Amino acid sequence: MLSPLGVRQAQIVGQHLVDLGLRFDRCLSGDLSRQQDTARHALQQFSVAGLATPALEVDPAFNEFDA
């Protein structure tokens, strides 16, 4: 779960992506809850702007690993 600051940061990133005019066909995230929360809060900005929002796809291959 993201902290309130993390939620706000994800929202700001999402709004910035909207402002840049970017659009996504897919959105992928690892299976960690904070990864998914970040993606959802960022994607929410696309919905708020009335833009198409892809479903979040979860793939553990995007999780961090200790190199």
Side-chain angles (χ1 to χ4, degrees):
M1 181 170 214
L2 294 176
S3 69
L5 176 60
V7 168
R8 186 66 190 127
Q9 289 171 331
Q11 291 169 336
I12 290 169
V13 167
Q15 185 59 55
H16 183 65
L17 296 174
V18 168
D19 293 345
L20 288 174
L22 297 178
R23 303 296 177 261
F24 297 100
D25 296 322
R26 292 177 79 185
C27 182
L28 294 120
S29 167
D31 65 4
L32 301 176
S33 63
R34 65 180 172 74
Q35 294 170 321
Q36 293 175 51
D37 288 346
T38 299
R40 285 189 188 105
H41 286 291
L43 284 175
Q44 184 180 37
Q45 301 310 303
F46 286 82
S47 294
V48 168
L51 301 170
T53 307
L56 179 60
E57 299 175 48
V58 177
D59 184 339
F62 287 96
N63 292 350
E64 296 99 4
F65 60 92
D66 187 8

